[in-house]
Amino acid sequence: MADIPRILQKALRRVLVTAVATIVAAAGDTAYAEVVSSEPSSSPSFNGPVYAVAYAGNTVYVGGNFTLASVNGRNSPRTRFAAFDARTGELLDWRPTADANVRALAVADGVVYAAGDFDVINGEPRDAVAGLDGVDGRVTALRHTVLGQPSAIAAGHGRIYLGGRITAVDGVPRANLAAFDAATGNLDTFWQPATDDTVNAIAVSDYRIYVGGSFHKTNAVSSSLRLTAVHPVTGELDRGFLPKPVSQVLALAADDDGVYAALGGQGGRAVSYDRDGRTRWTRVFDGDAQAITVLDGTVYVGGHFDAACTTTNNGARGICTDGSVARGKLAAVDREGNLLDWAPQANGVAGTRDLAASARLGSVSAVGDFTTVSGLIRKRYVEFHGAGPVLEKAAAGHVAALEKAAAGHVAAYNFDSTVADGTYDDGSGHGHLLHAVARNGAAPRTVPHGRGQAIRFPARCTGGHCPRLVLRAGDTTGLNPGTGPLRYGAGVLMSPDETGRGENILQKGYATGGGQYKLQVDGLSGKPSCGMSDQTGTLLTAWSRTTVADDRWHTLECRRSGAELSILVDGRVESVTAIPESLSADSTHPLTIGGKGVADNNDQFHGTLDDVWIKIG
């Protein structure tokens, strides 16, 4: 997909996958077709239970209670951890060792995070939680004493979230939940939500941390039972999320639309909830649903069930009362709640314990205690591949259609391509071209970044004739969000000597001319902020606590959703500020990047920018 801007490739691939699935399904007269094949790919086997699985790029990491991994009949020692190439099934030379069960895994920024029953990793003390280098397997600085038994771990917002039956970390009381700073490994003393019973699952979304388990209260609030949402930074209970799961939650998966839960109880359930906690659909099985993941709108469910009920009714011991269809330990459900024909049929009693999906590879992995899947030997691990190569071929031939399908992106600039007159192309396909406006000898300067290029702005200068440079879009009426949802951001590289009083990265409009939204870096500390105002002129701002002036690339993002304006740095929510839901940004002024104009007081940006984007809706 080389002809599509980098910042849209992932979204476009997702759009095309959904489109292809819908077309195939239409031919078969069903709602949606499964994304992955029901035929297992070639993959390693293990001599003991596998409890956890996670993707990172082309690599699959697994954890459990095994001591050997087998590929093509050849055994290799692997003590409760292993990694292999997701595309080929080839075992990788990643071999950390644990002295007891690995129960859960998460991967972020090249680090594999593990939770379980262990006390020692690689011969070094690591009590129940650890970080491992994703390449060489060495333990990181994450080291704590955990009183209790963790069973869930997740990464996001610059933190590592831990859940289970926990009473303290390093002697500090915790009620089944804890968080650690991903950069330092330190216990987050600020984030301390509490439940009155076990947490089985954690899922990270853009605005929430979803928590599932057998508890009845979260943060001492009555009727906040089994499935709740807390703030990723403060741990405050989100009282706007009010689901009512009928039994304990064993696994969770989240996406932009809500959360999917795997439930135990008398017959298992897979339930889809919207962002307010309303049930969108329920599928019932004759045994616990204990694993769940979502890939391109299809929800994959695993457990120790043998059948899926044709209705939501079941009786004693979970038996389906209105009929059933065979689904041995694995099933798939479309976005409308329809049971799909995908039925690989795994064996065993405990069945599938965990599931993971890779949007990059179009693949789904399952782990557990099974030994055969679809009649093939697949001991405790199996992977199902999708149609990734087909999608990339289609994308190469249909770039224009994909760009049109990238719903919501109204502007996207990676500065890798120009049009005939030297202006910078808008990769969203909406035609909001950028023109350079310069003064006092300034000129756009491109520098290498990744596989493409970035824009470097003038250096800091004092006096009355400093170089001034902005990139400006002409007809920008399509960039006005009104009162609707809005997201915008950029990749930023700054050094400490490139900071100033205030530097605009992106700005659309002015406070006195129909309202505005902007992203800037404030002061010598180099901390970014997001701001919005309407025509009243009052600017409401979400401030970052983290500097970006450290000679490293950072991704910045502003999000307006309802009555909240948030700023994210490298995917981590730094702060959230309240704004009126009625605030409307509807300006005839142009979009500018790098400053608000070329006058002396233009809030000139002095660093380097790449991948600037705006999404409305």
Side-chain angles (χ1 to χ4, degrees):
M1 304 176 74
D3 294 332
I4 303 173
R6 292 192 304 273
I7 57 177
L8 290 179
Q9 288 181 11
K10 181 177 179 180
L12 296 180
R13 182 177 283 110
R14 182 167 60 250
V15 169
L16 185 56
V17 169
T18 303
V20 171
T22 304
I23 292 169
V24 173
D29 197 29
T30 58
Y32 291 90
E34 58 265 26
V35 176
V36 297
S37 170
S38 60
E39 294 298 318
S41 64
S42 177
S43 57
S45 291
F46 297 89
N47 70 337
V50 182
Y51 298 129
V53 57
Y55 282 93
N58 295 328
T59 301
V60 175
Y61 297 94
V62 295
N65 192 27
F66 50 84
T67 57
L68 291 174
S70 177
V71 178
N72 297 323
R74 180 181 176 181
N75 291 331
S76 299
R78 292 293 188 274
T79 308
R80 301 185 176 89
F81 287 106
F84 45 92
D85 190 308
R87 300 161 301 177
T88 65
E90 178 185 358
L91 197 64
L92 302 180
D93 190 25
W94 187 80
R95 52 180 76 197
T97 63
D99 67 336
N101 295 336
V102 175
R103 298 284 184 182
L105 294 175
V107 185
D109 299 324
V111 179
V112 180
Y113 296 97
D117 309 330
F118 50 81
D119 295 307
V120 177
I121 301 271
N122 295 346
E124 298 187 40
R126 289 296 186 274
D127 181 14
V129 62
L132 303 161
D133 187 283
V135 176
D136 59 28
R138 290 182 296 180
V139 292
T140 69
L142 182 67
R143 178 181 175 181
H144 297 277
T145 300
V146 180
L147 187 59
Q149 184 179 47
S151 55
I153 196 165
H157 304 284
R159 296 169 174 81
I160 308 306
Y161 300 96
L162 188 69
R165 184 179 290 274
I166 301 167
T167 57
V169 177
D170 300 333
V172 179
R174 285 294 184 268
N176 305 310
L177 288 163
F180 309 94
D181 187 290
T184 65
N186 295 334
L187 177 68
D188 187 332
T189 58
F190 189 64
W191 194 83
Q192 43 184 319
T195 65
D196 64 349
D197 206 341
T198 304
V199 171
N200 298 320
I202 301 173
V204 176
S205 75
D206 290 342
Y207 295 98
R208 294 167 165 167
I209 305 300
Y210 292 101
V211 179
S214 56
F215 52 86
H216 298 88
K217 293 182 181 180
T218 302
N219 292 357
V221 175
S222 298
S223 301
S224 57
L225 75 167
R226 303 190 184 106
L227 176 58
T228 53
V230 297
H231 195 279
V233 177
T234 67
E236 180 183 359
L237 180 67
D238 188 336
R239 295 172 183 258
F241 179 70
L242 299 170
K244 301 183 185 301
V246 298
S247 56
Q248 73 166 318
V249 175
L250 299 176
L252 293 171
D255 63 13
D256 292 341
D257 298 324
V259 65
Y260 306 89
L263 276 58
Q266 185 168 293
R269 283 169 167 76
V271 186
S272 171
Y273 298 98
D274 69 14
R275 289 171 60 92
D276 295 324
R278 292 185 293 261
T279 300
R280 293 181 292 197
W281 52 258
T282 299
R283 297 303 317 185
V284 177
F285 303 90
D286 67 348
D288 286 351
Q290 52 195 23
I292 198 162
T293 193
V294 59
L295 176 64
D296 298 312
T298 298
V299 178
Y300 296 88
V301 186
H304 58 76
F305 49 81
D306 294 308
C309 302
T310 55
T311 70
T312 58
N313 299 321
N314 64 352
R317 298 183 301 279
I319 295 174
C320 303
T321 56
D322 298 328
S324 65
V325 292
R327 290 294 185 274
K329 321 309 182 202
L330 292 163
V333 184
D334 73 17
R335 68 184 69 229
E336 304 300 326
N338 300 301
L339 186 70
L340 295 174
D341 291 337
W342 189 79
Q345 298 297 109
N347 69 343
V349 177
T352 300
R353 294 183 181 270
D354 195 18
L355 288 165
S358 169
R360 170 177 176 164
L361 301 173
S363 301
V364 171
S365 284
V367 298
D369 291 88
F370 49 80
T371 56
T372 65
V373 180
S374 292
L376 303 174
I377 300 297
R378 291 293 184 272
K379 294 183 178 179
R380 304 170 185 92
Y381 173 83
V382 64
E383 185 175 34
F384 306 96
H385 286 305
V390 175
L391 295 175
E392 291 193 7
K393 181 178 179 181
H398 301 283
V399 173
L402 283 171
E403 289 176 340
K404 184 177 180 181
H409 283 90
V410 293
Y413 309 103
N414 66 9
F415 308 112
D416 295 340
S417 61
T418 60
V419 292
D421 61 358
T423 57
Y424 293 98
D425 200 3
D426 172 12
S428 75
H430 290 276
H432 299 305
L433 306 182
L434 288 177
H435 305 266
V437 182
R439 182 179 176 182
N440 299 337
R445 177 185 172 191
T446 58
V447 294
H449 180 212
R451 297 182 180 180
Q453 59 190 27
I455 290 289
R456 190 164 191 171
F457 287 81
R460 280 181 61 184
C461 166
T462 59
H465 298 282
C466 292
R468 304 294 180 190
L469 171 67
V470 300
L471 305 179
R472 179 182 292 166
D475 180 10
T476 58
T477 56
L479 303 182
N480 290 326
T483 59
L486 171 67
R487 296 170 63 177
Y488 54 99
V492 177
L493 175 67
M494 294 185 75
S495 65
D497 61 3
E498 289 175 331
T499 61
R501 183 178 61 84
E503 302 185 21
N504 273 23
I505 295 172
L506 177 158
Q507 179 168 325
K508 173 65 171 74
Y510 295 92
T512 57
Q516 70 172 184
Y517 57 89
K518 66 178 180 178
L519 168 62
Q520 66 182 37
V521 177
D522 300 294
L524 298 177
S525 62
K527 296 178 180 180
S529 67
C530 300
M532 289 194 74
S533 67
D534 58 17
Q535 49 266 53
T536 64
T538 302
L539 182 65
L540 300 169
T541 306
W543 307 87
S544 170
R545 299 170 298 170
T546 304
T547 183
V548 295
D550 56 3
D551 288 312
R552 295 187 298 172
W553 278 99
H554 295 277
T555 59
L556 307 183
E557 182 177 346
C558 304
R559 294 178 181 168
R560 184 262 176 89
S561 178
E564 290 186 342
L565 176 64
S566 308
I567 181 168
L568 292 81
V569 177
D570 298 327
R572 170 177 176 155
V573 176
E574 289 288 319
S575 71
V576 180
T577 191
I579 62 174
E581 289 196 49
S582 60
L583 188 152
S584 176
D586 190 5
S587 171
T588 58
H589 293 287
L591 167 71
T592 58
I593 294 172
K596 60 186 179 183
V598 291
D600 289 341
N601 184 24
N602 76 327
D603 292 337
Q604 179 68 58
F605 181 75
H606 298 299
T608 305
L609 296 179
D610 200 0
D611 295 337
V612 180
W613 58 275
I614 301 171
K615 181 175 182 179
I616 295 174

